[in-house]
């Protein structure tokens, strides 16, 4: 790690030209230039360990050399860059690889839609399809859900500040309590099941339920496998489609490729984005059971749905990391390591608790201000980590899955010190 | 050009795994592997001249060598790939270049928002901001508008098939007749102006008007400069924000960088995507006057809003093509050339007319089936061109702006022959 | 007429307890006690000639003696007062009479629904039924339409002040220009027909069109018979239901029982209220073609839909006034008389014009303030008349159809003098 | 009581002309002619005891002689029948009496709005006002609520069959569990309170909560006073307006004039209709705290809002029944009597339970078919009673408050026999 310098970065052009909507640059007031593996470097030569990984878009680290090689080779060879939804060799190779390494071994028979290359586009496609298939308009989401910022996705997102940004009433969605919303005081789906079965409840049968198995933005809220199974059963028995939004928790973040594997369920529709492209390049997928594939040609489209360089890095990532179970095993081990450290912190300090699954882990502070302070101190010590939860009360860890044990320990020790300082 | 072979491409995996929503691959049943400049090559070695250019995302051609060099160098150096909205050196350089080469020379004082990297995300941000600023919910769009597939953008899109895909009623939008919708029979804005000024019209004052200066998907409908000026005046006098969606027509497609420059107007909000990244990489911008920058930090976000490789190619494209007026001049000349050929066809055949501006040009057939046939014949002869318009009645030309005169003539002769064959 | 006294009426309880929403009592600051025929009397003994007739609810005058006799006899005999939708003898007699005197002679085969006993309830039932039958949600209304204050009816009402009262965005309605909205500059249904036939217009096929043949609240805007016929044809050819809201213009206001008879059309759905009860008692009907009667039992209900005293007076009114054509003939004659006087005023004074049909007539002032002043002066001289139109620019006349010629002339002379005074 | 005859009533005109939407006439296939007190008579001379009372619109019985006298006198004297919102002597007398006998003794300082004369119009006015005052659009309603059939009221109504009748998605409402929805398993307002206080819940702060203290249509679900108090506190502490819809439960149905008096709360807005007119004549009121009276003049209106005959009978009813506490006391006693009989039935038969307050009482059958059968048998024996609840599982009793003890006992014995027969 480089010696820290105290020069102020030149950020005039950002202040002058970039919209006030910018946010991460406010928490981390520096200018990044390059990155490799688990590290980012700034233009004044400082290195930051990344416990954030592009909000889960960089599960394989920054500029992963295997993927980088494939990408540069492809670009060098003048492979198709922009292909809309034309057939290309790169897309075929991705589809074949995804089929062979992801779908087939898990006995998942999904059709693959390439929507616009962002998570929210994948969610919008999922919601539209669910409504088209069922002829119903309402969708059930969960408290503290996050699904994206375009109007359809925003309507199933919980955060009130972000919802208010719509400027119009957001309708056609009905939030239900996420797992453990009442700390186990009420039976699972007590309210949801009842309103579905009461024809006078005022809640009509929804087209779909959309759920994250672990709510990252919502505060690292973890749904138990049995809760997910019960949800799948509830949906299935009432003819409601189940959408798992695996944009942040898919691609191995919790261990297995899909986060829902732990529950042994098969959602009707699945969304993937963030790390599916492998290298941080924009890409998204909407997967669904073949019988739901009622789209007319071109009924949902998008200019960048054929971002072929991302198909190339996506294919390389699948081949490198999903041909065997080594990544999954190591993710589990690293997750346990984080859990141990966090459990220690939780034991040592009042008002601190912990939750998570695999390599998404949260350190929860009863006093939200403390979580913000911990992340601020961590930044000062060369570590990037962000808060989440409705009151920013959770330090959320999303390190690259490829982080080394030493790096992980280094980062955890910074966090532990910061926590000690803040909670002392 | 390569000798044509008749082997059937292997497309089983597409049929088996890719959703029925795919569309271009149906018109062009082949598998593309590489591309350069104005040409795409298939895996059976056939070359296609591209009069389509990624639906306007490839104004500088496929795999443009100048941009390619910058991109590979950046990747090689492990420059930041994925940066959310952190400050990066690549983003700074893009902002400085965009400021110096695009905004400053045109005396445009816009703040720059990086939404998710697709056109529809840029439109969603524009609509949200307009509603937030004005406190009104309704937005006026135009007949045959196309603004995207996510719910907010879709609500201001005209196509009934695509609208039906929403599965819910699309509301808060009011279509008005686009320029020349009545072939000049009625004064411009006859209906629009009247309903705005009649407090009993049932149409409340909208937050914004969203307009394309040339409607690409809608059938190459061209708004006259005086119509755009009158629209801008109408908006300004009634306190309505004017949004120009320049996703397809910006970045020089009609000649100048912004398509609205021809009218001498300054929209309140502008959206850019498609060719802004230069190389076909996903990128989008929402520009707005500084006084409209009322966003709270993070109120609208997105994982891939910091697609730094696209910032690099975008910067290289601006430096290469927008430091002087050569591209703009050549676009005008090529546009005139297409216009001449199209005028000849229109003169030669009944039921054929033409319209366009710069290098977006349409050959319009009274009988929609003929436009589809012309594009089919063109494909057989090695030319990619697509139809547009509500009944697919228009052969829409969007060649790379960097196409050579010989290539342009070659493609036009294919189209002329196809038209002759179809109209004979 | 009584000598006018200048005592201030005791209105403290109104000021103290009645909501600020009250309106007529502001224009006419006095306390009415009794009424007979075309006259109202106040508690200070002043008599007012009524050119307003309960906003069209008193076509047969106040406390019409024939109806009064029937009503008191019914009450005396303890006939059913409140009957929900039970079968009652009074309802049977009404249905039989309505069938014999209204439907059969006009060869109208309508099913009769008794919604809640107000115009807006009848409109809500009509809109719901149209949506249920067609499976479409959008409804086309017209500029300056008025259909009621509950959310469904308000959404198809034009007045912006009243719309804003909803407190939520009013959606699912699309206003089209009413007849003569452009003073004949454009062909009828120029815009409407075009958007229906253009699949890219952004306006989906509506469930229904709702129209008043003469817009009373909207400013006495009169649709020509040929416009109504063309509208009916347009609807019929596109599978759109035509709803005529005859709440104010039905029951003989324009001459014939239904205001649409002049056009020779048969709407799919018709709403009646106001004068259908005859005596000013709350009553409303929704009529529709038998094939549209897809309601489930109780799917639309309401506590007062069986207001039997109103059925009794409604029956008496039909028997008294609609067994022959005398009322219709006299209405036409009186309408002509009003028209003559108004034409004189229009000829005599700049900025004054006139329009109307039968006994709904408007005196239109280019300067809206003048219409308000005329009505104010008229009140001072013992005449009740109200303004209408988006800017209150129209003196709207709705005298009882049973008014005598002397009464009519007396009222018209008051108006003529007031106009002369205001326009001098 | 008359000897029963078996002639079939002549109902051809109903079958032929009345819409399929009719419902009570299906349960009670006869033709009623007259009524007095607690009895209705049919045209074949049969008498029916009325345990239904116009769905709560006839709390003082049919054709109550005191009210009848006042009504006929008023009509005889040519008092104003139809007055819109003009000041009339009859309205003044009603306001003074309502103030003196209802508001003042209860220390309620409400402004009085006269909306259209039906319950749903009163609810629509309440919802509009709550939205206008708060600037928020969402309203919280409760499971199995019933508030009316126009779009605004329907959106806060629970019944799925009735909701589907809208033909459009009903939005801007969020149902919460009514008291005892979970049989006491969860703390009151467990879910409601939590989502209000969790900024990530996805449920924005509502404008208002609308509640019935006893849900009549919903199945005689009774809210406990402490639940109502907690609801009022919840609303007050979060700045949410509390609307009590007292259309069916007001005017003494549960004992006191307002049904919420038992809880000692003061709602922000109250709706009254049904029995407020006293004689079964259409009338409705929306009451609200003075500081909420932000209506503009005419912002919400309606033709029959000045149904003066109803003001006369309403005044007479208040004077007759609400000048002292005799009616309230007798209602409590009769309610207890019903409760005793129902408790016996509940004790005697499996699958039968009971609930209610004052003179709204429900006999609940686990097997919904049995409730329908009991009402059918009761009709055969000369008793009118209807079912309610989402599955029609409740025999709902709403006898006139003025019923005699003998009549009450007579009807209860019919019900007891029918229950015995059905449950044997």
């Amino acid at each position: 790690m480089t010696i820290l310098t105290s020069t102020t970065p030149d950020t005039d052009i950002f202040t002058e030209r970039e919209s006030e909507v910018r946010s991460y640059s406010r928490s981390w007031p520096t200018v990044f230039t390059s990155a490799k593996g688990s590290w980012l470097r700034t233009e004044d030569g400082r290195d930051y360990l990344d416990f954030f990984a592009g909000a889960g878009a960089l599960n394989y680290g920054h500029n992963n050399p295997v993927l980088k090689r494939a990408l540069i080779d492809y670009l060098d060879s003048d492979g198709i860059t922009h292909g809309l939804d034309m057939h290309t060799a790169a897309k075929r190779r991705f589809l074949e690889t995804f089929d062979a390494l992801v779908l087939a071994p898990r006995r998942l028979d999904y059709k693959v839609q390439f929507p616009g290359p962002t998570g929210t586009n994948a969610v919008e496609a999922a919601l539209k399809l669910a409504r088209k298939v069922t002829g119903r308009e309402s969708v059930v989401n969960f408290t503290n859900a996050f699904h994206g910022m375009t109007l359809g996705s925003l309507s199933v997102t919980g955060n009130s500040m972000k919802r208010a940004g719509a400027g119009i009433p957001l309708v056609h969605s009905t939030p239900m309590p996420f797992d453990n919303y009442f700390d186990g005081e009420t039976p699972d789906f007590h309210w949801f099941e009842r309103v579905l079965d009461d024809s006078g409840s005022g809640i009509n049968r929804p087209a779909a339920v959309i759920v994250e198995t672990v709510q990252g933005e919502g505060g690292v809220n973890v749904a138990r496998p049995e809760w997910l199974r019960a949800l799948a059963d509830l949906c299935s028995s009432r003819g409601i489609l189940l959408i798992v939004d695996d944009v942040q928790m898919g691609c191995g973040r919790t261990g297995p490729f899909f986060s829902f594997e732990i529950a042994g369920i098969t959602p009707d529709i699945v969304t993937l984005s963030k790390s599916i492209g492998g290298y941080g390049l924009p890409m998204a997928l909407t997967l669904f059971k073949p019988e739901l594939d009622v789209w007319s040609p071109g009924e949902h489209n998008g200019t960048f749905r054929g971002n072929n360089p991302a198909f190339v890095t996506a294919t390389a990532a699948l081949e490198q990391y999903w041909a065997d179970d080594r990544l999954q095993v190591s993710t589990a081990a690293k997750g346990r390591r984080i859990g141990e450290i966090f459990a220690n912190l939780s034991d040592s300090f009042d008002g601190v608790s912990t939750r998570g699954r695999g390599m998404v882990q949260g350190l929860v502070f009863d006093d939200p201000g403390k979580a913000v302070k911990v992340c601020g101190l961590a930044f000062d010590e060369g570590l990037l980590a962000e808060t989440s939860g409705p009151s920013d009360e959770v330090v959320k860890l999303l390190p690259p899955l490829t982080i080394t044990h030493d790096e992980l320990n280094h980062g955890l020790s910074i966090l532990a010190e910061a926590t000690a300082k803040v909670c002392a």
Side-chain angles (χ1 to χ4, degrees), chain A:
Chain A
M1 194 163 52
T2 315
I3 304 298
L4 305 183
T5 65
S6 60
T7 52
T8 306
D10 172 12
T11 57
D12 288 357
I13 188 75
F14 299 111
T15 310
E16 187 189 332
R17 278 289 153 227
E18 194 174 4
S19 164
E20 294 300 323
V21 81
R22 67 192 184 278
S23 70
Y24 285 111
S25 59
R26 298 173 191 267
S27 310
W28 301 329
T30 185
V31 179
F32 296 97
T33 52
S34 62
K36 192 142 197 68
S38 306
W39 295 89
L40 292 100
R41 177 164 293 188
T42 67
E43 62 184 357
D44 55 4
R46 186 165 177 182
D47 290 323
Y48 286 88
L49 181 59
D50 188 1
F51 267 28
F52 169 61
L58 294 166
N59 282 1
Y60 315 119
H62 291 269
N63 299 329
N64 185 298
V66 177
L67 282 56
K68 174 176 167 177
R69 186 69 272 136
L71 175 60
I72 291 181
D73 285 351
Y74 186 76
L75 294 170
D76 251 340
S77 73
D78 286 325
I80 297 286
T81 297
H82 179 280
L84 285 150
D85 65 358
M86 295 187 268
H87 293 331
T88 66
K91 187 199 266 190
R92 181 167 56 204
R93 205 168 148 223
F94 169 74
L95 279 172
E96 286 169 347
T97 309
F98 189 72
D99 196 25
L101 297 183
V102 176
L103 298 182
R106 292 164 182 80
R107 301 190 188 189
L108 293 169
D109 182 16
Y110 284 135
K111 296 295 283 288
V112 179
Q113 176 177 5
F114 297 88
T118 75
T120 193
N121 296 46
V123 169
E124 294 264 345
L127 297 175
K128 285 165 74 169
L129 187 64
R131 287 168 167 146
K132 183 175 161 80
V133 166
T134 60
R136 302 174 217 138
E137 87 281 345
S138 174
V139 170
V140 161
N141 60 330
F142 289 98
T143 49
N144 288 294
F146 182 93
H147 298 290
M149 290 293 103
T150 52
L151 274 192
S153 306
L154 188 54
S155 71
V156 289
T157 288
N159 185 287
S160 59
M161 183 270 275
K162 294 196 192 299
R163 289 175 71 83
I168 52 172
L170 294 172
V171 296
H172 307 308
S173 57
T174 304
M176 287 289 156
F178 192 71
D179 190 16
N180 212 27
Y181 197 60
F182 294 111
D183 294 322
E185 283 177 53
T186 59
D188 293 344
F189 307 110
H190 201 224
W191 169 234
F192 189 11
E193 197 160 6
R194 181 67 193 279
V195 299
L196 284 179
D197 294 346
D198 176 0
S199 69
S201 68
I203 292 181
N204 295 336
R205 201 153 52 114
V209 167
I210 185 164
V211 68
E212 303 152 279
T213 65
V214 180
Q215 298 182 321
E217 296 301 308
V220 192
N221 306 311
V222 182
R224 291 161 299 141
E226 56 269 33
W227 186 86
L228 291 168
R229 274 191 296 276
L231 177 61
D233 289 347
L234 189 65
C235 289
S236 162
S237 65
R238 269 71 169 191
I240 301 166
L241 297 175
L242 178 61
I243 304 171
V244 170
D245 181 349
D246 234 7
V247 164
Q248 191 170 60
M249 295 304 145
C251 303
R253 171 54 56 189
T254 67
F257 187 83
F258 291 112
S259 72
F260 55 79
E261 295 178 42
I262 196 173
I265 62 172
T266 304
D268 299 290
I269 306 180
V270 180
T271 58
L272 286 176
S273 185
K274 291 197 184 265
S275 279
I276 185 63
Y279 203 70
L281 302 178
M283 180 173 166
L285 299 178
T286 306
L287 312 175
F288 34 82
K289 293 181 176 171
E291 62 269 28
L292 304 181
D293 193 11
V294 300
W295 286 117
S296 299
E299 195 174 3
H300 183 90
N301 61 23
T303 293
F304 293 115
R305 65 197 184 279
N307 187 19
N308 279 257
F311 299 164
V312 169
T313 52
T315 304
L318 293 178
E319 288 171 338
Q320 179 71 10
Y321 294 106
W322 296 101
D324 56 42
D325 69 355
R326 280 180 299 169
L327 182 68
Q328 176 166 351
V329 168
S330 96
T331 297
K334 290 170 191 166
R336 280 192 300 273
R337 175 65 184 148
I338 304 173
E340 287 161 20
I341 301 293
F342 276 13
N344 288 346
L345 292 173
S346 171
D347 291 346
S348 307
F349 301 105
D350 277 352
V352 178
S353 58
T354 177
R355 55 190 181 229
R357 171 174 292 147
M359 283 180 76
V360 51
Q361 296 283 343
L363 194 63
V364 187
F365 292 80
D366 291 354
D367 171 0
K370 289 184 177 170
V372 175
K373 273 186 206 150
V374 165
C375 288
L377 288 175
F379 179 72
D380 293 342
E381 297 303 316
L383 180 75
L384 301 185
E386 72 160 346
T387 57
S388 75
S391 308
D392 279 321
E393 73 276 21
V394 182
V395 175
K396 179 176 73 164
L397 256 58
L398 292 170
L401 308 183
T402 53
I403 197 169
T404 66
H405 286 279
D406 285 352
E407 288 167 342
L408 188 59
N409 287 331
H410 174 61
L412 289 170
S413 68
I414 292 177
L415 278 179
E417 281 171 43
T419 301
K421 205 175 284 184
V422 166
C423 293

